[in-house]
Amino acid sequence: MFKPFQNIFPAILSIVFAVLAWQFTVQVTQLPRFILPAPVDVWSRFLKALSDGSLIYHTGITLAEIVLGLLAGITFATVTGYALAKSRALEKVLSPYLVASQAIPVVAIAPLLVIWLGDGILSKVVICALIVYFPVLVNTVVGVRAVPTALYDLMHSIRATRGQILLKLELPASLPILLGGLRIGATLSVIGAIVGELVDAEQGLGFLLQLGDFQYDTSMVFVAVFMLIALALSMYGVVTLLERKFLKWQNPSR
Amino acid sequence: MTTNPTLTVQDLSVVFPDSNGGLNALENISFDVSPREFICFLGPSGSGKTTLLRVLANLLQPTAGQVHFIRHEQPKIGMVFQQPSLMPWRSVLENIKLPLELEGVDESTARKKAQEMIELMGLRGFEDSWPRDLSGGMAQRVGIARALIHDPDLLLLDEPFASLDALTRERMWMELSRIWQAKQKTVIMVTHSINESLFLADRVLVLTQRPGKIKLDVEVDLPRPRKDDIRYTPHFGKLARKLREAIE
Ligand SMILES: Nc1ncnc2c1ncn2[C@@H]1O[C@H](COP(=O)(O)OP(=O)(O)OP(=O)(O)O)[C@@H](O)[C@H]1O
Ligand SMILES: [Mg+2]
């Protein structure tokens, strides 16, 4: 009963403190609003954007890009990762490309992708997927390779089919490492979506951010940034929930 | 119940590749197993006992020689590994019912049978424990339960009672004898204990130091059911001495 409260309490305290310090800075320095708006300004801007529906709309777009990009990235990464883990030959052929692809920062090819795929949602989904791909791929390979051979022997001794080995051995055995990759991927995907939107977009939080910037509506920029933080934290939270649900056996006590 | 396998092993050799020309684990092993026979393998560490079981379970291809099963089909196997080999993400009950799951037995039947095995192995109260919370002996009993649950025709047991205390071990001997007699199984068991082999087996085969060859093949013609005091009979003593001499 008290545990979550105890965990959250210091966090709330530090947030309250930070907001107060922010307000204090604004009051002491008397900086113009378009350079550093006060917390109250940001809050009222937030309420306004919320009530005219624009905030929800743009957040929804960005969220959609993140979720679709994440799903696509994870799907491709786990499929290729599994194949690589299973075949040393394939790994030898493909790994130079994979490593080379990692040397190119996604930020650098984002404009290209927007040119090729348009300024709509698709280009952002692809950028997200690309940025998520590598960490999930690496963790899939490591996870599948870490499955104990003794358990393969067990499964073969009771004549498990390939599908059963995949579902009842390889998947659960590699899940801890897989979810570790997902944890990295989930936070990266938020970055991917924003990078894409900042290149060129007509919608999304990145668009909102840029719009606020052009119009000297700095409060709006702050609102967009806070929404992004909220999105990143919720992605992280979802992965944590998955870990709690599926990795119960790893928890120190029950 | 399906018919039991009769098993023929012919000139079996296993060589593991290594840097200096290969490691001969088993050399020219031949033996027959009659239906529902209980066979024990004794031998020093590294004589290839585990390797032999792995070949019989079709987990390892022999370098030379063959394993023939009657009717040329691999029988249904229940295997107890030297290490318990439990899945750490499954509870005790879920580990035990795994073979039934793979056979597509429905969930409630599988749970009921697993519960029966839990009772039989003296694991009641630990159904929902995680493997890492078990003692070595308990983990091994979970492994035994899992090997028996799907009613296999051929049991391959690799030192299944090694980490049990003396009392539990002897209780397990009784259980295994009872199951073996009631369910018409063929059992091939590896052990380091002469007493254990004489208590349980119809036949004891002794392997030599690496490379493993069959050094001795003795019929254990002690009357059944064998009770604890059988070890004080002269015939038991004679067989035990014979085995001890063969081992070293
Ligand atoms: N996969 C393998 N690769 C290489 N060498 C192996 C492999 N498995 C077993 N060996 C070697 O084969 C020999 C026999 O091993 P095995 O495990 O069958 O012995 P064992 O009789 O079961 O011994 P113990 O009583 O200690 O369990 C050993 O020298 C071992 O090092
Ligand atoms: Mg062994």
Side-chain angles (χ1 to χ4, degrees):
Chain A
M1 280 286 262
F2 286 99
K3 247 209 160 142
F5 182 70
Q6 274 175 351
N7 285 342
I8 277 175
F9 188 66
I12 290 177
L13 202 68
S14 92
I15 289 171
V16 168
F17 187 78
V19 170
L20 285 178
W22 174 9
Q23 181 71 40
F24 181 76
T25 314
V26 170
Q27 241 142 37
V28 169
T29 58
Q30 294 289 326
L31 286 169
R33 200 179 279 187
F34 69 85
I35 295 201
L36 182 65
V40 208
D41 299 328
V42 174
W43 178 249
S44 62
R45 190 68 188 83
F46 170 74
L47 292 180
K48 184 160 164 279
L50 200 63
S51 63
D52 68 16
S54 61
L55 188 61
I56 292 178
Y57 173 73
H58 292 291
T59 307
I61 294 289
T62 303
L63 184 64
E65 290 163 0
I66 291 172
V67 170
L68 291 175
L70 202 51
L71 287 180
I74 292 169
T75 309
F76 284 113
T78 45
V79 170
T80 39
Y82 187 76
L84 286 179
K86 285 283 158 183
S87 156
R88 297 266 170 193
L90 197 64
E91 191 195 3
K92 285 210 182 97
V93 173
L94 286 186
S95 59
Y97 294 98
L98 289 167
V99 174
S101 75
Q102 265 335 87
I104 309 167
V106 173
V107 185
I109 55 165
L112 263 185
L113 288 170
V114 175
I115 293 171
W116 290 340
L117 302 171
D119 64 357
I121 187 166
L122 178 65
S123 55
K124 283 78 186 178
V125 171
V126 171
I127 293 168
C128 256
L130 282 179
I131 215 168
V132 164
Y133 182 78
F134 201 68
V136 178
L137 172 91
V138 169
N139 281 42
T140 307
V141 174
V142 172
V144 173
R145 292 244 167 100
V147 178
T149 43
L151 292 182
Y152 279 109
D153 279 354
L154 164 71
M155 292 298 272
H156 287 133
S157 78
I158 42 183
R159 285 190 274 188
T161 61
R162 277 213 62 95
Q164 288 172 328
I165 288 176
L166 177 64
L167 281 181
K168 302 208 184 255
L169 172 60
E170 289 168 335
L171 185 64
S174 55
L175 203 57
I177 301 176
L178 220 59
L179 285 177
L182 192 56
R183 184 181 280 273
I184 303 167
T187 18
L188 283 179
S189 67
V190 178
I191 298 175
I194 287 309
V195 165
E197 288 175 352
L198 286 180
V199 171
D200 192 7
E202 234 84 282
Q203 46 196 2
L205 285 174
F207 165 75
L208 222 51
L209 213 123
Q210 228 159 20
L211 194 68
D213 192 28
F214 289 151
Q215 300 177 340
Y216 289 97
D217 187 356
T218 311
S219 300
M220 189 64 237
V221 176
F222 269 76
V223 170
V225 168
F226 281 126
M227 285 315 289
L228 282 173
I229 294 175
L231 281 185
L233 285 179
S234 11
M235 298 311 290
Y236 202 77
V238 169
V239 179
T240 306
L241 283 181
L242 288 177
E243 283 181 343
R244 286 235 181 100
K245 182 161 163 48
F246 291 112
L247 305 183
K248 264 190 258 155
W249 54 280
Q250 283 196 329
N251 296 346
S253 65
R254 333 194 264 136
Chain B
M1 164 165 275
T2 54
T3 51
N4 276 303
T6 321
L7 169 62
T8 311
V9 175
Q10 260 174 4
D11 300 325
L12 190 83
S13 296
V14 174
V15 181
F16 290 112
D18 70 356
S19 47
N20 41 350
L23 185 149
N24 284 46
L26 291 171
E27 202 170 88
N28 275 319
I29 302 273
S30 298
F31 63 94
D32 287 342
V33 183
S34 322
R36 61 181 313 275
E37 198 172 20
F38 197 131
I39 290 192
C40 269
F41 277 92
L42 282 172
S45 187
S47 55
K49 305 181 295 296
T50 298
T51 306
L52 178 62
L53 289 193
R54 285 171 50 81
V55 171
L56 296 181
N58 203 16
L59 300 175
L60 183 71
Q61 284 303 312
T63 315
Q66 281 117 20
V67 177
H68 283 299
F69 292 102
I70 199 166
R71 299 189 307 156
H72 300 284
E73 54 184 64
Q74 184 84 5
K76 202 196 242 190
I77 284 175
M79 187 157 182
V80 175
F81 298 86
Q82 201 165 356
Q83 308 298 325
S85 306
L86 304 180
M87 295 180 165
W89 58 89
R90 283 176 169 251
S91 68
V92 163
L93 187 131
E94 289 166 340
N95 263 291
I96 293 175
K97 77 180 171 65
L98 176 74
L100 295 182
E101 254 175 69
L102 297 196
E103 284 180 359
V105 172
D106 70 277
E107 180 66 18
S108 66
T109 316
R111 284 189 159 265
K112 221 179 95 218
K113 284 193 89 170
Q115 196 62 49
E116 284 168 25
M117 293 309 303
I118 283 169
E119 303 285 329
L120 192 68
M121 292 294 138
L123 290 166
R124 191 197 306 187
F126 291 93
E127 294 82 349
D128 299 323
S129 300
W130 301 116
R132 55 154 204 200
D133 295 332
L134 302 178
S135 70
M138 281 158 75
Q140 214 162 27
R141 277 180 279 160
V142 175
I144 297 169
R146 181 181 59 193
L148 290 171
I149 194 167
H150 57 310
D151 200 13
D153 304 315
L154 175 62
L155 270 175
L156 300 174
L157 312 176
D158 199 350
E159 303 186 32
F161 308 132
S163 51
L164 301 182
D165 61 273
L167 229 70
T168 315
R169 182 179 309 140
E170 282 172 27
R171 229 192 54 232
M172 288 290 150
W173 290 355
M174 297 302 175
E175 274 315 325
L176 183 60
S177 294
R178 196 185 57 71
I179 291 168
W180 166 71
Q181 266 168 338
K183 301 253 175 123
Q184 311 267 313
K185 293 180 192 316
T186 305
V187 182
I188 300 179
M189 173 165 146
V190 166
T191 173
H192 278 292
S193 155
I194 292 174
N195 275 354
E196 186 166 281
S197 66
L198 290 179
F199 217 88
L200 291 170
D202 296 320
R203 231 169 106 203
V204 181
L205 282 78
V206 180
L207 292 181
T208 59
Q209 190 63 268
R210 204 172 63 220
K213 293 180 210 156
I214 292 177
K215 187 173 187 183
L216 187 71
D217 183 341
V218 272
E219 211 64 42
V220 182
D221 44 1
L222 295 164
R224 289 184 189 271
R226 297 174 190 163
K227 298 235 175 59
D228 193 44
D229 50 14
I230 199 167
R231 72 179 79 177
Y232 307 112
T233 61
H235 194 47
F236 189 100
K238 216 180 90 200
L239 287 170
R241 200 170 319 120
K242 200 167 165 188
L243 291 175
R244 186 159 298 121
E245 278 161 9
I247 290 170
E248 237 7 281

